[in-house]
Structure formats: C-alpha cells, structure tokens
Amino acid sequence: MDNHALPLVLLGGTLCNARLWQPVLARLNLSAVICPRLTADVSAEQASQRLLDHLPPRFLLAGFSLGAIVALQMVADAPRRIAGLALLSVNPLAVPPENAPVRREAVSAARQQGLTHWLSSSLWPKYVAPSRLDDQALQEFICRMAEESGLDALVTQTEIAISRQDNRGALASLACPIIIINGVHDPICTPYHHQLVAQSAPQARCITLAAAGHFTLLEAPDEVAPPLRQWIKECSDAQE
C-alpha cells in the first residue's frame, strides 16, 4: 500500500521497540513507516514536542500503550498535523499522585532483579490473555524487546507514564479518522478505559478483540491488521 503522502508514525509501549509492530506491518505492506523511540524524554509533553519538531507536516499516528499516551498529547498539541489516529491498548487517565511511588519502586525492583526476571514475574500475567500465558515464544519475544530497550528506557518511560495528563478533551474536535483497538482481557488498559476514550471521540471506530489481552499487536496480528488497513485507506481517501 502506497502511503508516502501520509507516512505512518508508530509509537510503542514501555520497553518496546520496532519489533512490536513487525507482525502487523508484515500484513500491511506499507511504503512509508516511521518508528521513533520513546527513550529520550521524561514527560509526554517533551516527547510530543521533540517528535513534532522532526516529523513530516502531516502524518498518520498510531500509539500502543505508552505510545498512545504520547499520541494523545500530540493530538492536544498539534491536531491539524494528524491525518489519522489509531489508539491501541490505551489508558487516557492521569495517574493519581499516590501511585507515583509504586511505579518508581517497580523500576527499583527491575534494577535489582534484572529486566527479564522482573517482567516475567510481575508483568507477564497482565500482558496477555489467559489462553496465552503458557506461550513461551511470545514471552521470550517481549522480554527480548525489554532487554534491547534497557533499564534507562524504563526509567524515563515510567516518568512519562507518571506525569501524563488526561487529554481526552482534544479528541472530540479531531477532524480525521480515529480507530480504537483493545483486548477484552487487558487489566492494564481495561475495556473501561477504552470506553472513556470512545465517549470522548464519538466519531471513532472501536474494536474489542475477544481473545487478546494487553499486547494486541502480538497476540492477534491477523485481527489487528485488517481494521488498520481500512483506517489507513479512509485517511488517504479523506485527503483526496
């Protein structure tokens, strides 16, 4: 699919890299994809401004988990530059102040235990649907991304998550196609969180995957790719 006129910008989640998107991208066969790293900033505002300074004038924007937080900030900062928005596994709410120490303690635990051990013992049960908990290959894939990202990325990305704002108010007036995708078994970015986003973006198309958890892109790429392809086509058609 030729999307040079509207390149697709992909923002991944905590301890994720470009590998996160490969299963879906292999099914989309796009001509223009940009996958920035979210490792140099300590707030969504900083990340948004840095990205906007370097990205093309108009682009499609897809964010997963932490990337969806930054994407929402970009919507608030520069809505006219976004030709289409896809939010996957998103929690739009600000973090209560009392939760910040818990998040930072988790970083300390990861430093002490090592990323793979910490992720496998504390996060893996929250990452995928119950039917995938014994999927060793998927677990190793996610741990590999974590190790490649490194502890420094976890430190800065945790600060982005802690300091984020609730930017749902910017969605109602966003004049481009919007798609929201979530897994019904996601305890991190729950179906309730996605309902909140959908209520703020009545023009959005919402898809809930019955067999997926948090990592929709890796658990169900065959189900994620077709609606994303349709969304990209709608965005392109809207520009003509």
Side-chain angles (χ1 to χ4, degrees):
M1 183 186 300
D2 184 1
N3 70 310
H4 271 101
L6 290 174
L8 176 60
V9 177
L10 302 172
L11 303 180
T14 301
L15 293 176
C16 295
N17 56 25
R19 294 182 189 276
L20 170 74
W21 303 96
Q22 289 309 311
V24 168
L25 287 177
R27 291 159 171 82
L28 294 177
N29 193 28
L30 299 174
S31 61
V33 175
I34 303 170
C35 194
R37 299 182 66 192
L38 296 177
T39 58
D41 311 284
V42 294
S43 71
E45 292 90 341
Q46 284 185 12
S48 172
Q49 290 304 316
R50 178 178 59 83
L51 292 168
L52 290 169
D53 285 345
H54 293 91
L55 289 173
R58 290 274 285 172
F59 51 88
L60 307 178
L61 181 60
F64 166 80
S65 196
L66 182 79
I69 293 170
V70 175
L72 285 171
Q73 184 64 51
M74 294 171 71
V75 169
D77 292 341
R80 294 183 180 179
R81 292 183 59 185
I82 298 169
L85 178 67
L87 300 172
L88 301 94
S89 301
V90 57
N91 177 348
L93 301 178
V95 173
E98 61 270 20
N99 286 8
V102 177
R103 300 292 293 266
R104 295 189 176 110
E105 287 170 8
V107 175
S108 298
R111 181 179 288 110
Q112 295 169 2
Q113 299 173 22
L115 284 171
T116 293
H117 182 273
W118 169 75
L119 189 153
S120 298
S121 60
S122 63
L123 290 181
W124 173 247
K126 303 176 183 178
Y127 272 177
V128 296
S131 62
R132 302 299 291 273
L133 286 175
D134 294 329
D135 190 333
Q136 188 66 27
L138 180 54
Q139 183 176 357
E140 290 175 356
F141 186 96
I142 293 174
C143 288
R144 182 179 181 184
M145 285 198 299
E147 293 289 355
E148 290 172 346
S149 299
L151 185 62
D152 288 344
L154 177 62
V155 173
T156 56
Q157 290 170 348
T158 296
E159 293 305 314
I160 291 176
I162 288 173
S163 63
R164 68 180 185 257
Q165 301 177 21
D166 186 339
N167 286 305
R168 283 178 291 162
L171 287 172
S173 59
L174 187 63
C176 66
I178 303 173
I179 187 170
I180 304 166
I181 300 176
N182 72 296
V184 73
H185 300 288
D186 187 350
I188 300 172
C189 300
T190 67
Y192 169 71
H193 292 125
H194 291 83
Q195 290 171 11
L196 292 178
V197 176
Q199 290 168 4
S200 299
Q203 72 277 39
R205 180 185 179 196
C206 302
I207 297 172
T208 298
L209 304 179
H214 186 66
F215 269 87
T216 51
L217 290 157
L218 299 179
E219 295 177 82
D222 286 330
E223 297 177 63
V224 172
L228 282 183
R229 183 183 297 109
Q230 180 179 345
W231 165 73
I232 293 168
K233 185 178 185 304
E234 291 172 356
C235 294
S236 298
D237 292 344
Q239 302 303 302
E240 297 177 355

